[in-house]
């Protein structure tokens, strides 16, 4: 754990650590459901605008790029498993499929309402929380907090339900699983 976790009340810190450990079975099932073949690596899909497709075609082994923008769970690669291949198609017209090796990844399952509540409780313990939410810059602050939370508890992947959907509801279902991956290999 990093410094931000050190400033967390011990009982809350332990509850978050327990939630990370309790997320493992769901993660294992997600990985199993998205394997290329039995015993193979799992596959993920990232949608990109068509203008960026050439970068993947010309350099197929460069990996997926970590977004620098402030997205739902902070900086990371946002993907879905191939089991829900169109779920994030609202973000581009080209779906890039990639294998990933989840060995040793720590996962926080934010789809679980109890885990989400732990994150919110942690958020309220931040010394700058009050100032962050009563400013015009609260969006910036909340994304910084999400990055700090993941860093503090050394979380590699956050599983979460979609927080956006296409206007017609054709691609995205509230029950789908999206992933924010800190490092993609």
């Amino acid at each position: 754990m990093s410094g931000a976790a050190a400033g967390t009340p011990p009982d809350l810190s332990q509850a978050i650590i327990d939630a990370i450990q309790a997320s493992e079975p769901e993660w294992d099932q997600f990985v199993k459901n998205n394997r290329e073949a039995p015993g193979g690596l799992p596959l993920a899909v990232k949608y990109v605008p068509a203008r960026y497709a050439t970068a993947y075609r010309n350099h197929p082994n460069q990996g997926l790029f970590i977004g620098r923008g402030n997205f739902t769970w902070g900086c990371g690669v946002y993907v879905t498993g191939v089991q829900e291949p169109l779920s994030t198609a609202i973000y581009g017209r080209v779906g890039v499929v990639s294998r990933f090796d989840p060995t040793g990844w720590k996962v926080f399952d934010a789809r679980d309402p109890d885990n989400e509540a732990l994150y919110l409780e942690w958020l309220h313990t931040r010394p700058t929380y009050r100032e962050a939410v009563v400013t015009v810059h609260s969006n910036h602050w909340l994304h910084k907090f999400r990055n700090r939370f993941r860093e503090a508890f050394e979380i590699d992947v956050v599983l979460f339900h979609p927080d956006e959907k296409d206007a017609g509801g054709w691609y995205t279902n509230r029950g789908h699983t999206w992933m924010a991956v800190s490092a993609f290999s």
Side-chain angles (χ1 to χ4, degrees):
M1 283 186 304
S2 72
T8 303
D11 57 333
L12 177 57
S13 185
Q14 188 59 54
I16 293 168
I17 291 167
D18 292 346
I20 291 167
Q21 291 171 346
S23 296
E24 287 179 24
E26 289 294 325
W27 174 241
D28 291 343
Q29 187 62 50
F30 180 88
V31 166
K32 180 181 175 185
N33 291 345
N34 288 284
R35 287 201 185 279
E36 183 174 20
L41 289 174
L43 299 170
V45 180
K46 176 179 178 67
Y47 277 87
V48 299
R51 68 180 177 269
Y52 298 123
T54 305
Y56 291 99
R57 183 174 168 252
N58 293 339
H59 305 287
N61 293 317
Q62 297 299 314
L64 298 176
F65 303 106
I66 292 178
R68 300 202 185 281
N70 287 326
F71 303 113
T72 305
W73 278 93
C75 294
V77 177
Y78 284 76
V79 295
T80 59
V82 293
Q83 192 175 50
E84 299 164 347
L86 297 179
S87 188
T88 59
I90 58 175
Y91 297 111
R93 291 295 160 240
V94 177
V96 179
V97 178
S98 179
R99 292 176 186 94
F100 64 96
D101 183 357
T103 304
W105 285 6
K106 285 174 64 177
V107 178
F108 183 77
D109 189 353
R111 300 171 306 174
D112 181 323
D114 292 335
N115 291 354
E116 185 180 81
L118 286 172
Y119 167 72
L120 292 172
E121 187 177 343
W122 175 87
L123 185 63
H124 287 232
T125 67
R126 302 300 87 203
T128 54
Y129 174 74
R130 182 169 166 53
E131 292 83 2
V133 297
V134 294
T135 176
V136 70
H137 305 292
S138 61
N139 191 35
H140 167 77
W141 276 95
L142 291 173
H143 285 102
K144 284 183 85 93
F145 285 139
R146 291 177 188 139
N147 285 332
R148 287 183 186 156
F149 177 77
R150 289 175 30 222
E151 292 166 4
F153 292 97
E154 300 170 349
I155 297 167
D156 299 299
V157 179
V158 175
L159 301 175
F160 63 102
H161 289 297
D163 59 340
E164 294 185 81
K165 68 175 189 167
D166 56 290
W170 300 318
Y171 307 130
T172 307
N173 178 299
R174 173 73 178 127
H176 287 174
T177 297
W178 290 3
M179 298 186 295
V181 183
S182 298
F184 208 88
S185 54

